[in-house]
Amino acid sequence: MPDDIYLYLLAAFGSLLAGFINTLAGSGSVITLSILMYVVGLPAKIASATIRFSILAMLGFTLPHYQRAGKIDWKRDWLMVASTAVGGIFGIFLLIYVDNAVFKDSMKYVFLALLFVVLFDSKRWLKETDPSALSPWIVVPLFFVVGLYGGFIQMGVGLLFLVVTVLGAGYNIIDAGGIKLAAIASYTIFAVLLFAYSGLIRWDFALAMSVGEIAGGQLGAHFAVKHPKAGLWAHRMLVVLLISVVVRAFFF
């Protein structure tokens, strides 16, 4: 157990930034994973398990903001959430029993393609939500794969979910953000229980990071539902984060 309090403070501050980023776009886990792995020195699997608890804490406090603002319609959105949850549970078991190095290597090409897609038609991200009449035969496998990635790797799943929800289902980026949080919460609950049972969570850092993540999530949710240009800023953040993910995947 580290004696230096600055490690906990750094983890909490990094989580505050991650919570804000995760709420508006995604991939804030890059910050928290980097702190736990490269500064604190935790093994990758323990670091990945530990951040799930702080993410779940943030989601529990952030989702009500979107619910009260009418950004989540459970009758309309339940199939996307359920499909993502099932995929996420499968991905969690893969994380425990399978080496994810090959899968992570192939996903960098997916994020490169997503970057070009996001840059191509920016207006589509800002229009009013008008969900397409997608067949369950398309929705179920599509969001199952998103959940599978999220349960398996987690980092970047918010970006992937936003792209699929906006371009595949006709949501704007803010409404898609609310569904994203609900979907991630649906399998993260299971992940935390399983990782806790397996002894993979470092609770001292998990609790410290939860404080920062909750605060960041509250700031991000308030901005998303109140600011008149939240969609525009969320799209810009999405572009920047996708660029950073692609650069990191190909060059570092």
Side-chain angles (χ1 to χ4, degrees):
M1 219 178 137
D3 296 324
D4 297 318
I5 191 66
Y6 82 90
L7 290 177
Y8 295 107
L9 294 176
L10 177 63
F13 179 72
S15 295
L16 187 148
L17 296 177
F20 184 85
I21 293 169
N22 280 332
T23 303
L24 282 181
S27 207
S29 300
V30 171
I31 298 172
T32 50
L33 277 176
S34 298
I35 291 172
L36 290 183
M37 290 173 60
Y38 303 122
V39 180
V40 178
L42 296 183
K45 190 169 288 189
I46 292 177
S48 179
T50 299
I51 68 169
R52 307 292 180 116
F53 181 82
S54 61
I55 290 171
L56 182 61
M58 179 271 289
L59 292 170
F61 281 85
T62 303
L63 272 171
H65 285 277
Y66 285 86
Q67 186 73 53
R68 288 192 296 268
K71 300 298 183 181
I72 302 175
D73 183 342
W74 293 107
K75 291 183 179 179
R76 177 192 67 189
D77 306 325
W78 73 270
L79 187 58
M80 289 187 292
V81 174
S83 302
T84 307
V86 174
I89 291 171
F90 274 89
I92 291 161
F93 280 109
L94 285 177
L95 174 64
I96 292 176
Y97 297 111
V98 179
D99 181 5
N100 63 10
V102 175
F103 191 51
K104 286 178 68 175
D105 187 62
S106 63
M107 282 304 298
K108 66 185 182 182
Y109 297 101
V110 174
F111 282 105
L112 179 61
L114 291 179
L115 174 60
F116 285 105
V117 170
V118 170
L119 289 172
F120 180 69
D121 187 5
S122 61
K123 291 182 179 179
R124 189 169 181 177
W125 295 79
L126 308 176
K127 67 178 181 60
E128 292 298 315
T129 292
D130 182 22
S132 306
L134 287 178
S135 164
W137 297 102
I138 298 175
V139 171
V140 171
L142 192 62
F143 285 92
F144 175 87
V145 171
V146 173
L148 185 70
Y149 175 84
F152 195 34
I153 294 179
Q154 177 61 35
M155 187 173 64
V157 65
L159 305 181
L160 185 61
F161 192 95
L162 285 180
V163 172
V164 170
T165 309
V166 172
L167 301 184
Y171 287 66
N172 68 36
I173 191 170
I174 298 300
D175 290 345
I179 309 307
K180 174 197 71 179
L181 297 179
I184 293 174
S186 67
Y187 67 79
T188 303
I189 295 173
F190 180 81
V192 168
L193 292 174
L194 184 59
F195 293 151
Y197 177 78
S198 303
L200 294 174
I201 296 177
R202 272 289 299 266
W203 289 106
D204 50 348
F205 281 101
L207 294 173
M209 297 173 81
S210 294
V211 175
E213 193 101 31
I214 290 170
Q218 295 290 291
L219 292 172
H222 182 78
F223 181 82
V225 301
K226 298 292 185 181
H227 198 284
K229 293 187 177 181
L232 177 63
W233 284 104
H235 179 261
R236 290 172 177 173
M237 182 178 288
L238 180 65
V239 171
V240 171
L241 289 169
L242 276 171
I243 292 172
S244 68
V245 169
V246 169
V247 169
R248 183 177 183 274
F250 279 91
F251 301 106
F252 295 97

